[in-house]
Amino acid sequence: IVITVPVPQILGQPRLGVMGNYVEHANPEIVAALEKVVYSTRHVLSLAYAPGSDPFPESKWTAKYFNTGIVRFVAKDNLKRQRPEEAATILVHTTVPFSLEHMEEDTPWAEAEAAILADLQEKLGPIPTPVEKGMHKWKFSQVYKRFDSANEPVGVLPLIPPREKAAGKSNYVLAAGDAFGAQSDFQSCIFSARKTVDFIQSLA
């Protein structure tokens, strides 16, 4: 079994954690090291407008970063995807500190949304009323502190040693993903995938 969800879900901590009692059979030192993995978190606000419209026609950017305030990134998502004929959609990403501060706020995240809109208006000016809007809390945005960060990345981690080796069989529970790579990016995902394949092939 190969598990690639965020580490807190591997440990069964959030509401959508992986079900089962496999963690009870894992090495306590490994579990303690997994508990030290830290993720950044962000809120994302989506503002949808009529197809073909541009809620900020005077702005020349398709995507923009900010260094201060609550809003970290904003994009005209349909233009970013080169789909000008689709509904004009503004995507707004918050900073990590803001989302950590509001991590425990429950849906519909009204307090967070109000703060985001206020900061966005301060940055871009008056915000036209959208046809539709939505909020999403990206609880596990990126790996902030990877597994066993003091040592070389492992790529894949056997959580539980094999319980059966008879007839050439080896049953493992493996944890993989960018939390076991050098940093939180696509290359670390590829690194982990290759290490996982190498490990499985070594059992043949």
Side-chain angles (χ1 to χ4, degrees), residues 65-119:
Y65 284 91
F66 299 94
N67 293 323
T68 60
I70 292 169
V71 173
R72 172 60 175 154
F73 172 80
V74 62
K76 299 178 180 179
D77 190 60
N78 61 309
L79 298 183
K80 182 171 173 284
R81 293 183 289 105
Q82 299 182 355
R83 295 290 189 271
E85 74 282 358
E86 293 183 358
T89 305
I90 303 298
L91 284 186
V92 185
H93 289 207
T94 65
T95 62
V96 171
F98 172 82
S99 290
L100 289 174
E101 182 182 341
H102 291 266
M103 180 180 286
E104 301 307 322
E105 183 183 350
D106 290 329
T107 181
W109 306 295
E111 182 180 329
E113 180 182 312
I116 294 168
L117 286 172
D119 189 60

Coordinates of all heavy atoms in Angstrom, one line a residue, residues 65-119:
Y65 N 1.8 39.5 -7.7 CA 2.1 39.2 -6.3 C 2.2 40.5 -5.5 O 2.5 41.6 -6.1 CB 3.5 38.5 -6.3 CG 3.4 37.0 -6.7 CD1 3.6 36.6 -8.0 CD2 3.2 36.0 -5.7 CE1 3.6 35.3 -8.4 CE2 3.1 34.7 -6.1 CZ 3.3 34.3 -7.4 OH 3.3 33.0 -7.7
F66 N 2.0 40.4 -4.2 CA 2.1 41.5 -3.3 C 3.0 41.1 -2.1 O 3.0 39.9 -1.7 CB 0.7 41.9 -2.8 CG -0.3 42.4 -3.8 CD1 -1.1 41.4 -4.4 CD2 -0.2 43.7 -4.3 CE1 -2.0 41.8 -5.4 CE2 -1.1 44.1 -5.3 CZ -2.0 43.2 -5.8
N67 N 3.7 42.0 -1.6 CA 4.7 41.8 -0.6 C 4.2 42.2 0.8 O 4.8 41.9 1.8 CB 6.0 42.5 -0.8 CG 6.7 41.9 -2.1 OD1 6.7 40.7 -2.3 ND2 7.3 42.8 -2.9
T68 N 3.0 42.9 0.9 CA 2.5 43.3 2.1 C 1.0 43.0 2.2 O 0.4 42.7 1.2 CB 2.7 44.8 2.3 OG1 2.0 45.5 1.3 CG2 4.2 45.2 2.3
G69 N 0.5 43.0 3.4 CA -0.9 42.8 3.7 C -1.3 41.3 3.7 O -0.5 40.4 3.8
I70 N -2.6 41.1 3.5 CA -3.2 39.8 3.6 C -3.1 39.0 2.3 O -2.8 37.8 2.2 CB -4.7 39.9 4.0 CG1 -4.8 40.4 5.5 CG2 -5.4 38.6 3.9 CD1 -6.2 40.8 5.9
V71 N -3.4 39.8 1.2 CA -3.4 39.1 -0.1 C -2.0 39.0 -0.6 O -1.2 40.0 -0.7 CB -4.2 40.0 -1.1 CG1 -4.1 39.4 -2.5 CG2 -5.7 40.0 -0.7
R72 N -1.6 37.8 -1.0 CA -0.3 37.5 -1.5 C -0.3 37.4 -3.0 O 0.7 37.9 -3.7 CB 0.2 36.2 -0.9 CG 1.5 35.6 -1.5 CD 2.7 36.6 -1.3 NE 3.9 36.0 -1.8 CZ 5.0 36.7 -2.2 NH1 4.9 38.1 -2.2 NH2 6.1 36.2 -2.6
F73 N -1.3 36.9 -3.6 CA -1.3 36.7 -5.1 C -2.8 36.8 -5.6 O -3.7 36.4 -5.0 CB -0.9 35.2 -5.4 CG -1.0 34.8 -6.8 CD1 -0.1 35.1 -7.7 CD2 -2.1 33.9 -7.2 CE1 -0.2 34.7 -9.1 CE2 -2.2 33.5 -8.5 CZ -1.3 33.9 -9.4
V74 N -2.9 37.5 -6.8 CA -4.2 37.6 -7.4 C -4.0 37.4 -8.9 O -3.0 37.7 -9.5 CB -4.8 39.0 -7.1 CG1 -3.9 40.1 -7.7 CG2 -6.2 39.1 -7.7
A75 N -5.0 36.7 -9.5 CA -4.9 36.4 -10.9 C -6.2 36.5 -11.6 O -7.3 36.2 -11.0 CB -4.3 35.0 -11.1
K76 N -6.2 36.9 -12.9 CA -7.4 36.8 -13.7 C -7.3 35.4 -14.3 O -6.6 35.2 -15.3 CB -7.4 37.9 -14.8 CG -7.4 39.3 -14.3 CD -7.3 40.3 -15.4 CE -7.4 41.8 -14.9 NZ -7.3 42.8 -16.0
D77 N -7.9 34.5 -13.6 CA -7.6 33.1 -13.9 C -8.0 32.6 -15.3 O -7.2 31.8 -15.9 CB -8.4 32.2 -12.9 CG -7.9 30.8 -12.9 OD1 -6.7 30.5 -12.7 OD2 -8.8 29.9 -13.2
N78 N -9.1 33.1 -15.9 CA -9.5 32.7 -17.2 C -8.4 33.2 -18.2 O -8.1 32.5 -19.2 CB -10.9 33.2 -17.6 CG -11.0 34.7 -17.5 OD1 -10.6 35.3 -16.5 ND2 -11.5 35.2 -18.6
L79 N -7.9 34.4 -18.0 CA -6.9 34.9 -18.9 C -5.5 34.2 -18.7 O -4.8 34.0 -19.7 CB -6.7 36.4 -18.7 CG -7.9 37.3 -19.0 CD1 -7.6 38.8 -18.8 CD2 -8.5 37.0 -20.4
K80 N -5.3 33.9 -17.4 CA -4.0 33.1 -17.1 C -4.0 31.8 -17.9 O -3.0 31.3 -18.3 CB -3.9 32.9 -15.6 CG -2.7 32.2 -15.1 CD -2.7 32.3 -13.6 CE -1.5 31.5 -13.0 NZ -1.9 30.0 -13.0
R81 N -5.2 31.2 -18.0 CA -5.4 29.9 -18.7 C -5.6 30.1 -20.2 O -5.9 29.2 -20.9 CB -6.5 29.1 -18.1 CG -6.2 28.7 -16.6 CD -7.3 27.8 -16.1 NE -8.5 28.5 -15.8 CZ -9.6 28.5 -16.5 NH1 -9.7 27.8 -17.6 NH2 -10.7 29.2 -16.2
Q82 N -5.5 31.4 -20.6 CA -5.8 31.7 -22.0 C -7.2 31.3 -22.5 O -7.3 30.7 -23.6 CB -4.7 31.1 -22.9 CG -3.3 31.6 -22.6 CD -2.2 31.0 -23.5 OE1 -2.5 30.2 -24.3 NE2 -1.0 31.5 -23.3
R83 N -8.2 31.6 -21.7 CA -9.6 31.3 -22.0 C -10.4 32.6 -21.8 O -11.2 32.7 -21.0 CB -10.1 30.2 -21.1 CG -9.5 28.9 -21.3 CD -9.8 28.2 -22.6 NE -9.4 26.9 -22.7 CZ -8.2 26.5 -23.1 NH1 -7.3 27.4 -23.5 NH2 -7.9 25.2 -23.2
P84 N -10.2 33.6 -22.7 CA -10.9 34.9 -22.5 C -12.4 34.8 -22.7 O -13.1 35.7 -22.2 CB -10.2 35.8 -23.6 CG -9.7 34.9 -24.6 CD -9.2 33.7 -23.8
E85 N -12.8 33.8 -23.4 CA -14.3 33.6 -23.7 C -15.0 33.1 -22.5 O -16.2 33.1 -22.4 CB -14.5 32.7 -24.9 CG -14.2 31.2 -24.7 CD -12.7 30.8 -24.6 OE1 -11.9 31.7 -24.8 OE2 -12.5 29.7 -24.4
E86 N -14.3 32.5 -21.5 CA -14.9 31.9 -20.3 C -15.3 33.0 -19.3 O -14.9 34.1 -19.4 CB -14.0 30.9 -19.7 CG -13.8 29.7 -20.6 CD -12.9 28.6 -19.9 OE1 -12.5 28.9 -18.7 OE2 -12.7 27.6 -20.5
A87 N -16.0 32.6 -18.3 CA -16.4 33.5 -17.2 C -15.1 34.1 -16.6 O -14.2 33.4 -16.3 CB -17.2 32.8 -16.2
A88 N -15.2 35.4 -16.5 CA -14.0 36.1 -15.9 C -13.9 35.8 -14.4 O -14.9 36.0 -13.7 CB -14.2 37.6 -16.1
T89 N -12.8 35.2 -14.0 CA -12.6 34.7 -12.7 C -11.4 35.3 -12.0 O -10.3 35.2 -12.6 CB -12.5 33.2 -12.6 OG1 -13.7 32.6 -13.3 CG2 -12.5 32.7 -11.2
I90 N -11.6 36.0 -10.9 CA -10.5 36.5 -10.1 C -10.2 35.5 -9.0 O -11.0 35.2 -8.2 CB -10.8 37.9 -9.6 CG1 -11.2 38.9 -10.7 CG2 -9.6 38.4 -8.8 CD1 -10.1 39.1 -11.7
L91 N -8.9 35.0 -9.0 CA -8.5 34.2 -7.9 C -7.6 34.9 -6.9 O -6.6 35.5 -7.4 CB -7.8 32.9 -8.4 CG -8.7 31.8 -9.0 CD1 -7.8 30.6 -9.4 CD2 -9.8 31.4 -8.1
V92 N -7.8 34.8 -5.7 CA -7.1 35.6 -4.7 C -6.5 34.6 -3.6 O -7.3 33.8 -3.0 CB -7.9 36.6 -3.9 CG1 -7.1 37.5 -3.0 CG2 -8.7 37.5 -4.9
H93 N -5.2 34.6 -3.5 CA -4.5 33.7 -2.5 C -4.0 34.6 -1.3 O -3.4 35.6 -1.6 CB -3.3 33.0 -3.1 CG -3.7 31.9 -4.1 ND1 -3.0 30.8 -4.3 CD2 -4.8 31.8 -4.8 CE1 -3.6 30.0 -5.2 NE2 -4.7 30.6 -5.5
T94 N -4.2 34.1 -0.1 CA -3.7 34.9 1.0 C -2.3 34.5 1.4 O -1.7 33.5 0.9 CB -4.6 34.6 2.3 OG1 -4.4 33.2 2.6 CG2 -6.1 34.8 2.0
T95 N -1.7 35.2 2.3 CA -0.4 34.9 2.9 C -0.6 33.7 3.9 O -1.7 33.5 4.4 CB 0.2 36.1 3.6 OG1 -0.7 36.4 4.7 CG2 0.4 37.3 2.7
V96 N 0.5 33.0 4.1 CA 0.5 31.9 5.1 C 0.2 32.4 6.5 O -0.6 31.8 7.2 CB 1.8 31.1 5.0 CG1 1.9 30.1 6.1 CG2 2.0 30.5 3.7
P97 N 0.8 33.5 7.0 CA 0.5 33.9 8.4 C -0.9 34.2 8.6 O -1.5 33.9 9.6 CB 1.4 35.2 8.5 CG 2.5 34.9 7.6 CD 1.9 34.3 6.4
F98 N -1.6 34.8 7.6 CA -3.0 35.1 7.7 C -3.8 33.8 7.9 O -4.7 33.7 8.7 CB -3.5 35.9 6.5 CG -5.0 36.1 6.5 CD1 -5.6 37.1 7.3 CD2 -5.8 35.3 5.8 CE1 -7.0 37.3 7.3 CE2 -7.2 35.4 5.7 CZ -7.8 36.4 6.5
S99 N -3.5 32.9 7.0 CA -4.3 31.6 7.0 C -4.0 30.8 8.3 O -4.9 30.1 8.8 CB -4.0 30.8 5.8 OG -4.6 31.4 4.6
L100 N -2.8 30.9 8.8 CA -2.5 30.2 10.0 C -3.3 30.8 11.2 O -3.8 30.1 12.1 CB -1.0 30.2 10.4 CG -0.1 29.4 9.5 CD1 1.3 29.6 9.8 CD2 -0.4 27.9 9.7
E101 N -3.5 32.1 11.1 CA -4.2 32.8 12.2 C -5.7 32.4 12.1 O -6.4 32.4 13.2 CB -4.1 34.3 11.9 CG -4.8 35.2 13.0 CD -4.7 36.7 12.7 OE1 -3.8 37.0 11.9 OE2 -5.5 37.4 13.2
H102 N -6.2 32.1 10.9 CA -7.6 31.8 10.7 C -7.8 30.3 10.5 O -8.9 29.9 10.0 CB -8.2 32.6 9.6 CG -8.3 34.1 9.9 ND1 -9.5 34.6 10.4 CD2 -7.4 35.1 9.8 CE1 -9.3 35.9 10.5 NE2 -8.1 36.2 10.2
M103 N -6.9 29.5 10.8 CA -6.9 28.0 10.5 C -8.1 27.4 11.1 O -8.8 26.5 10.4 CB -5.7 27.3 10.9 CG -5.7 25.8 10.6 SD -4.2 25.0 11.2 CE -3.0 25.6 10.0
E104 N -8.5 27.7 12.3 CA -9.6 27.0 13.0 C -11.0 27.6 12.7 O -12.0 27.1 13.2 CB -9.3 27.0 14.5 CG -8.0 26.3 14.8 CD -7.8 24.9 14.2 OE1 -8.9 24.2 14.2 OE2 -6.7 24.5 13.8
E105 N -11.0 28.7 11.9 CA -12.3 29.2 11.6 C -13.1 28.3 10.7 O -12.6 27.8 9.7 CB -12.2 30.6 10.9 CG -13.5 31.3 10.6 CD -13.3 32.6 9.8 OE1 -12.2 33.1 9.7 OE2 -14.3 33.1 9.4
D106 N -14.3 28.0 11.0 CA -15.1 27.1 10.2 C -15.8 27.8 9.0 O -16.0 29.0 9.0 CB -16.2 26.5 11.1 CG -15.6 25.5 12.2 OD1 -14.6 24.9 11.9 OD2 -16.2 25.4 13.2
T107 N -16.2 26.9 8.1 CA -16.9 27.4 6.9 C -18.2 28.1 7.4 O -18.8 27.7 8.4 CB -17.3 26.2 6.0 OG1 -18.0 26.7 4.9 CG2 -18.1 25.2 6.7
P108 N -18.6 29.2 6.7 CA -18.2 29.7 5.4 C -17.0 30.7 5.5 O -16.8 31.5 4.5 CB -19.4 30.4 4.9 CG -20.1 30.9 6.1 CD -19.8 29.9 7.2
W109 N -16.3 30.8 6.6 CA -15.1 31.7 6.7 C -15.5 33.1 6.4 O -14.7 33.8 5.7 CB -14.0 31.2 5.7 CG -13.7 29.8 5.9 CD1 -13.1 29.1 6.9 CD2 -13.8 28.7 4.9 NE1 -12.9 27.8 6.7 CE2 -13.4 27.5 5.5 CE3 -14.4 28.7 3.6 CZ2 -13.4 26.3 4.8 CZ3 -14.4 27.5 2.9 CH2 -13.9 26.3 3.5
A110 N -16.6 33.6 7.0 CA -17.0 34.9 6.8 C -16.0 36.0 7.2 O -15.8 37.0 6.6 CB -18.4 35.1 7.5
E111 N -15.4 35.8 8.4 CA -14.4 36.7 8.9 C -13.2 36.8 8.0 O -12.8 37.9 7.7 CB -14.0 36.3 10.3 CG -13.1 37.3 11.0 CD -12.6 36.8 12.4 OE1 -13.5 36.1 13.1 OE2 -11.5 37.1 12.8
A112 N -12.7 35.7 7.6 CA -11.6 35.7 6.7 C -11.9 36.3 5.3 O -11.1 37.1 4.8 CB -11.1 34.2 6.4
E113 N -13.1 36.0 4.8 CA -13.5 36.6 3.5 C -13.6 38.1 3.6 O -13.1 38.8 2.7 CB -14.8 36.0 3.1 CG -15.3 36.6 1.8 CD -16.7 36.1 1.4 OE1 -16.9 34.8 1.4 OE2 -17.6 36.9 1.0
A114 N -14.2 38.6 4.7 CA -14.3 40.1 4.8 C -12.9 40.7 4.9 O -12.7 41.8 4.2 CB -15.1 40.4 6.1
A115 N -12.0 40.1 5.6 CA -10.6 40.7 5.7 C -9.9 40.6 4.3 O -9.2 41.6 3.9 CB -9.8 39.9 6.7
I116 N -10.1 39.6 3.6 CA -9.5 39.4 2.2 C -10.0 40.5 1.3 O -9.3 41.2 0.6 CB -9.7 38.0 1.7 CG1 -9.0 37.0 2.5 CG2 -9.2 37.9 0.2 CD1 -9.4 35.6 2.2
L117 N -11.3 40.7 1.3 CA -11.9 41.6 0.4 C -11.5 43.1 0.7 O -11.3 43.9 -0.2 CB -13.5 41.5 0.4 CG -14.1 40.3 -0.3 CD1 -15.6 40.2 0.0 CD2 -13.9 40.4 -1.8
A118 N -11.4 43.3 2.0 CA -10.9 44.7 2.4 C -9.5 44.9 1.9 O -9.2 46.0 1.4 CB -11.0 44.8 3.9
D119 N -8.6 44.0 2.1 CA -7.3 44.1 1.7 C -7.2 44.2 0.1 O -6.4 45.0 -0.4 CB -6.4 43.0 2.2 CG -4.9 43.2 2.0 OD1 -4.4 44.2 2.5 OD2 -4.3 42.4 1.3

